[in-house]
Amino acid sequence: MNAPAVLLINTPAGPAHVTAPAPRATWWELAGQDPDTHVSQTPAWLDCLCATAPYRDASRLYEFEDGRRLVLPLVRGRHRPERLDMEESWPADWGIGGPVSPGGVSSREARVVFDDLMRRPAFQVGVRFRPGGDDIWADAAPADFRSEPHMTQVLSLDGGFSTIWERRFHSGVRRQVRRAERSEVEVEVDRAGRLTPAFYHLYEESIVRWARQQHEPLPLARWRRTRGFPRRRLEAVAARFGESCAIWMAWSAGEPAAAIVVLRYGNHAKLWRGAMNRDLAHPVRAVPLLHRLAIEDACESGCRQYDMGESRPGSSLASFKAGFGADSFSSPRYYRERLPVSAAERRLRAAVKRLIRFRDA
């Protein structure tokens, strides 16, 4: 780990002391004081990222004149020169980053952070904010920062599981769960990483189905999906999070039918990954049953939210999550770059999709 460097920055919005990388003890302290901290905003998540991808810790601790503090989780490339590098909170496929800030953030503090990021020598800097409070960041963002929209679906666990079952689960979801409970399906939960191989086997089976649904060449789908989520990443997360990483597995006819990975930190439970053998899982409605059990477990663990992750508005996945009562929230990414590389990448991806007649799920 890099030795922390402390410097005083003077920005148009005011001064602040910045320590980079952020001291782990302080980061954990602030995360514990911020009830809205997501599991993906913890030092453990950064450790998993750096252990399984070519990144290193670039997190920043901001200390303001009135004594308030916030941590911005951040990584940068491990091998690139600074001016050709990207600093992200977080890179694609790693979910929500953004500041950890007990008591929220003021407009001035948000401007200081953005002013500091404007001065970073990296070619590109991006921050994916958690749901809520985005108006303050939107107002503070300089013109050079662009907004990239993202939608996150979150189920409120207020009121306990009985309230969620009766008032938030749609009737169709309740029917599917009851059907699963009458079927010959067995469910187990692993909190020690034992089911990692079985989960990843299901994930590889799912890639074949996703490629067919999206009209994507299977070799391309396998390369893209396994590059974005290699098995070692699941192993690293299971090892570092321990009992806070639960693999819920449904078995049908003695075979793995469906599985989900749910992570937990503080008030927050996060659906991280899911996979299934549709031929086995769909007849017994294994997936709704897994979510029902994971949501009840999150309630019993004292969580206030069950984060079901990002979805494309209007997609079948978004409708599926809404069936459990999950509400949609904006969790935008703000980024600045010295050349319009992102626009060129989007055009290239769109051209490739048109060429292979790719269908978004």
Side-chain angles (χ1 to χ4, degrees):
M1 183 182 297
N2 299 333
V6 184
L7 62 152
L8 173 66
I9 61 170
N10 286 294
T11 75
H17 281 92
V18 176
T19 305
R24 293 303 179 87
T26 305
W27 187 346
W28 279 117
E29 177 189 351
L30 296 180
Q33 294 171 358
D34 183 353
D36 296 321
T37 298
H38 288 219
V39 64
S40 57
Q41 293 180 291
T42 64
W45 191 253
L46 179 142
D47 288 339
C48 293
L49 196 164
C50 293
T52 61
Y55 295 102
R56 58 191 174 97
D57 186 358
S59 57
R60 299 175 77 76
L61 166 66
Y62 295 86
E63 299 179 272
F64 302 100
E65 289 181 302
D66 60 2
R68 281 180 42 78
R69 300 174 295 172
L70 71 81
V71 165
L72 177 65
L74 198 68
V75 292
R76 58 173 298 184
R78 194 178 295 159
H79 306 298
R80 293 178 181 174
E82 267 193 329
R83 293 194 176 276
L84 298 178
D85 204 357
M86 294 182 289
E87 294 184 342
E88 291 283 348
S89 180
W90 296 115
D93 297 321
W94 281 92
I96 290 170
V100 176
S101 50
V105 64
S106 70
S107 298
R108 188 186 70 82
E109 292 164 352
R111 290 196 302 272
V112 168
V113 172
F114 271 126
D115 288 342
D116 177 51
L117 296 180
M118 276 293 299
R119 299 177 178 181
R120 299 295 301 147
F123 173 78
Q124 184 182 88
V125 178
V127 179
R128 172 80 185 278
F129 290 90
R130 66 193 183 194
D134 52 304
D135 288 346
I136 291 176
W137 293 102
D139 292 341
D144 287 342
F145 272 82
R146 298 182 179 181
S147 174
E148 181 180 270
H150 291 270
M151 182 185 81
T152 299
Q153 289 178 271
V154 180
L155 170 64
S156 170
L157 303 183
D158 290 347
F161 183 72
S162 60
T163 297
I164 296 166
W165 172 263
E166 295 168 5
R167 301 182 184 178
R168 297 185 191 140
F169 281 15
H170 292 194
S171 59
V173 169
R174 292 196 297 269
R175 284 195 299 272
Q176 291 184 60
V177 170
R178 292 189 184 105
R179 177 172 172 175
E181 291 172 337
R182 294 193 300 268
S183 66
E184 295 183 359
V185 59
E186 297 181 0
V187 175
E188 65 175 313
V189 58
D190 163 41
R191 304 184 194 274
R194 177 177 50 84
L195 291 177
T196 295
F199 179 92
Y200 206 80
H201 175 71
L202 275 177
Y203 181 76
E204 291 176 322
E205 287 187 340
S206 297
I207 292 174
V208 178
R209 175 170 50 85
W210 293 330
R212 186 168 56 248
Q213 288 175 343
Q214 296 178 318
H215 201 266
E216 182 178 9
L218 184 56
L220 174 61
R222 281 183 172 141
W223 174 82
R224 187 171 62 87
R225 298 277 187 173
T226 56
R227 182 172 178 265
F229 180 56
R231 175 170 164 172
R232 67 181 183 277
R233 187 163 300 168
L234 175 60
E235 292 171 341
V237 169
R240 290 182 184 271
F241 280 86
E243 292 188 354
S244 295
C245 173
I247 302 176
W248 294 83
M249 179 76 67
W251 302 82
S252 179
E255 296 291 330
I260 59 174
V261 182
V262 179
L263 309 177
R264 192 174 71 243
Y265 177 77
N267 295 330
H268 186 260
K270 175 181 175 59
L271 169 65
W272 184 38
R273 295 284 176 173
M276 71 172 169
N277 178 331
R278 194 177 192 282
D279 292 339
L280 292 175
H282 185 68
V284 297
R285 302 301 191 266
V287 175
L289 177 61
L290 290 177
H291 283 296
R292 176 249 187 266
L293 294 172
I295 290 167
E296 184 176 26
D297 180 70
C299 291
E300 292 175 351
S301 299
C303 294
R304 299 286 301 278
Q305 293 182 335
Y306 184 73
D307 179 354
M308 301 191 77
E310 183 175 357
S311 308
R312 184 171 58 83
S315 65
S316 58
L317 181 59
S319 298
F320 172 79
K321 295 174 182 177
F324 290 87
D327 294 316
S328 299
F329 297 91
S330 172
S331 56
R333 172 177 176 259
Y334 284 87
Y335 69 98
R336 69 107 178 110
E337 52 191 6
R338 304 194 184 282
L339 291 172
V341 173
S342 295
E345 289 179 347
R346 285 193 296 270
R347 288 194 294 269
L348 179 59
R349 284 196 298 268
V352 171
K353 286 183 176 182
R354 286 194 300 270
L355 181 64
I356 66 175
R357 292 179 293 155
F358 185 90
R359 294 188 291 265
D360 286 307

